[in-house]
């Protein structure tokens, strides 16, 4: 019983036991994880600008409302092409000697998941508009505005990028809206967030579907995928759920001559390769290519746009779209 009466022996033993548990439970597993989990082939290390953008992401507390993890459930399909794996986070490193890096996986989704946002929304113009005032591109957004990350200039200088937002979001602002270095780096980091394709040696986990799927990806009894879901996931953030777009930023699809016209090749090309012929609007990225759309998905999206918001365009088939997609590759 002398052991329990000698405070030096008691506290020394407790300290030694604590250090032993720390070694066994924390340090050794962490070293083993570093040895086992290597970055996926094809994944890229962050550039200097992207790394700074990650620091800003952490500084501004973005993880409080956004996750960076696609869970293995059907509702997460809109966020990524596959469920996330531990290996997706192999490039996380300490920020410095005294500060560990946040994995930024998050626990709450007040806003959408961002692990694949660089593929889902690769438009810099959209990202800048959203950062300046989220309501300018997503009217129902509750995200705060980060206008302090932008500069107001009388004239654009070489290398400046003007942010185009509707006039109602520029009340009291006279001049050109230009993103600061912090805003540019934060957007660079967001655009770097892309799920890396798994090598063939690693099996891809399937999402837990609630609806039985055919081999071609269509729901039982349907000829095409759900065009409404495709539009909501890939297009509504710019063109809006009502198809009316945003004046001065993104064109309307409601009543659009492209949507209702007979030039199907132009329509498919815009979806797959993007569009930038009109200086009054932001550049449209290659949404279809970035999302890996199949002919059936493109056809479903076109049919949704041609039959929504009062549009009365002619529906198309997956075979018609496939001919054009093979031609424009």
């Amino acid at each position: 019983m002398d052991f329990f009466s000698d405070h030096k022996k008691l506290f020394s033993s407790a300290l030694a036991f604590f250090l032993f548990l720390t070694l066994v439970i924390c340090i050794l597993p962490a070293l083993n994880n570093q040895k086992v989990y290597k970055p996926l082939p094809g994944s890229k290390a962050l550039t200097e600008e992207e790394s700074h953008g990650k620091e800003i992401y952490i500084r501004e507390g973005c993880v409080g409302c956004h996750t960076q993890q696609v869970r293995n459930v059907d509702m997460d399909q809109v966020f990524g092409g596959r469920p996330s794996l531990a290996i997706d986070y192999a490039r996380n490193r300490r920020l410095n000697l005294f500060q560990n890096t946040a994995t930024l996986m998050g626990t709450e989704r007040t806003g959408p998941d961002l692990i694949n946002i660089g593929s889902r929304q690769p438009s810099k113009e959209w990202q800048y508009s959203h950062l300046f005032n989220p309501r300018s591109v997503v009217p129902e957004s509750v995200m705060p505005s980060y206008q302090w990350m932008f500069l107001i200039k009388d004239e654009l200088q070489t290398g400046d990028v003007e942010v185009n937002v509707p006039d109602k979001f520029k009340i009291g602002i006279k001049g050109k809206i230009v993103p600061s270095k912090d805003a540019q780096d934060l957007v660079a980091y967001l655009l770097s967030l892309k799920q890396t394709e798994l090598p063939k040696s690693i099996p891809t986990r399937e999402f837990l579907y609630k609806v039985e799927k055919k081999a071609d990806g269509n729901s039982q009894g349907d000829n095409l995928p759900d065009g409404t879901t495709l539009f909501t996931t890939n297009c509504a953030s710019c063109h809006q759920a009502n198809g009316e777009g945003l004046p001065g930023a993104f064109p309307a699809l409601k009543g659009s001559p492209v949507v209702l016209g007979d030039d199907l090749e132009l329509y498919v090309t815009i979806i797959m390769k993007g569009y930038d012929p009109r200086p009054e609007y932001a550049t449209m990225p290659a949404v279809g290519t970035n999302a890996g759309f199949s002919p059936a998905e493109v056809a479903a999206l076109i049919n949704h746009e041609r039959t929504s918001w009062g549009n009365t365009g002619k529906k198309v088939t997956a075979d018609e779209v496939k001919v054009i997609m093979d031609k424009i590759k």
Side-chain angles (χ1 to χ4, degrees), residues 11-316:
F11 289 120
S12 296
S13 299
L15 177 60
F17 185 60
F18 172 77
L19 294 176
F20 173 75
L21 289 180
T22 301
L23 178 67
V24 173
I25 297 176
C26 300
I27 298 177
L28 292 181
L31 293 175
N32 183 65
N33 284 342
Q34 287 185 336
K35 179 180 179 181
V36 173
Y37 293 111
K38 300 296 182 182
L40 283 168
S43 68
K44 298 179 180 179
L46 297 179
T47 65
E48 182 178 347
E49 291 76 14
E50 292 164 355
S51 295
H52 182 231
K54 180 179 179 180
E55 294 178 9
I56 297 170
Y57 185 95
I58 295 171
R59 183 190 75 193
E60 298 298 335
C62 301
V63 70
C65 295
H66 295 281
T67 57
Q68 289 188 25
Q69 53 173 309
V70 178
R71 301 168 300 177
N72 189 24
V73 292
D74 65 311
M75 66 182 292
D76 276 21
Q77 295 177 66
V78 297
F79 297 131
R82 59 173 176 80
S84 298
L85 300 172
I87 199 170
D88 290 320
Y89 309 98
R91 288 194 180 276
N92 283 330
R93 294 291 184 269
R94 300 186 68 86
L95 296 179
N96 51 59
L97 179 61
F98 301 102
Q99 186 179 11
N100 194 10
T101 183
T103 63
L104 305 181
M105 293 175 66
T107 58
E108 182 178 340
R109 283 180 180 161
T110 301
D113 184 87
L114 299 179
I115 196 170
N116 201 40
I117 190 65
S119 295
R120 294 204 326 265
Q121 188 52 266
S123 169
K124 282 188 177 182
E125 290 86 352
W126 187 93
Q127 296 289 355
Y128 286 139
S129 297
H130 183 257
L131 191 61
F132 180 80
N133 191 319
R135 264 70 57 194
S136 69
V137 289
V138 184
E140 65 275 15
S141 176
V142 297
M143 175 177 158
S145 171
Y146 287 81
Q147 293 190 16
W148 64 84
M149 287 191 179
F150 294 81
L151 308 173
I152 307 301
K153 296 186 176 182
D154 293 331
E155 298 293 337
L156 295 178
Q157 300 174 350
T158 303
D160 283 345
V161 178
E162 183 179 5
V163 179
N164 294 313
V165 296
D167 290 339
K168 67 178 181 179
F169 296 101
K170 300 193 310 185
I171 296 176
I173 296 176
K174 297 181 180 180
K176 310 291 185 180
I177 303 172
V178 178
S180 67
K181 182 66 165 57
D182 279 359
Q184 294 180 49
D185 289 349
L186 176 56
V187 168
Y189 171 66
L190 293 174
L191 295 182
S192 76
L193 297 177
K194 300 177 182 179
Q195 281 190 308
T196 304
E197 184 176 351
L198 295 178
K200 295 181 179 179
S201 59
I202 300 179
T204 302
R205 291 187 299 169
E206 297 292 336
F207 287 104
L208 300 179
Y209 293 107
K210 290 182 180 179
V211 180
E212 185 180 356
K213 297 286 179 174
K214 291 182 179 180
D216 61 1
N218 298 333
S219 300
Q220 291 286 5
D222 295 336
N223 293 323
L224 292 174
D226 185 354
T228 302
T229 299
L230 288 168
F231 178 84
T232 300
T233 303
N234 299 279
C235 312
S237 59
C238 291
H239 297 291
Q240 304 302 297
N242 58 12
E244 295 181 0
L246 290 169
F250 308 105
L253 300 181
K254 178 180 179 180
S256 166
V258 174
V259 173
L260 298 175
D262 295 326
D263 193 344
L264 183 59
E265 182 173 334
L266 173 62
Y267 201 166
V268 174
T269 301
I270 290 173
I271 293 174
M272 297 305 297
K273 294 190 173 183
Y275 199 55
D276 187 26
R278 303 176 66 178
E280 69 271 26
Y281 290 117
T283 302
M284 175 176 167
V287 174
T289 299
N290 293 329
F293 280 175
S294 67
E297 289 172 321
V298 175
L301 179 60
I302 289 175
N303 290 342
H304 170 75
E305 293 177 354
R306 283 187 166 183
T307 58
S308 300
W309 321 299
N311 288 346
T312 56
K314 177 184 176 183
K315 289 188 175 182
V316 299

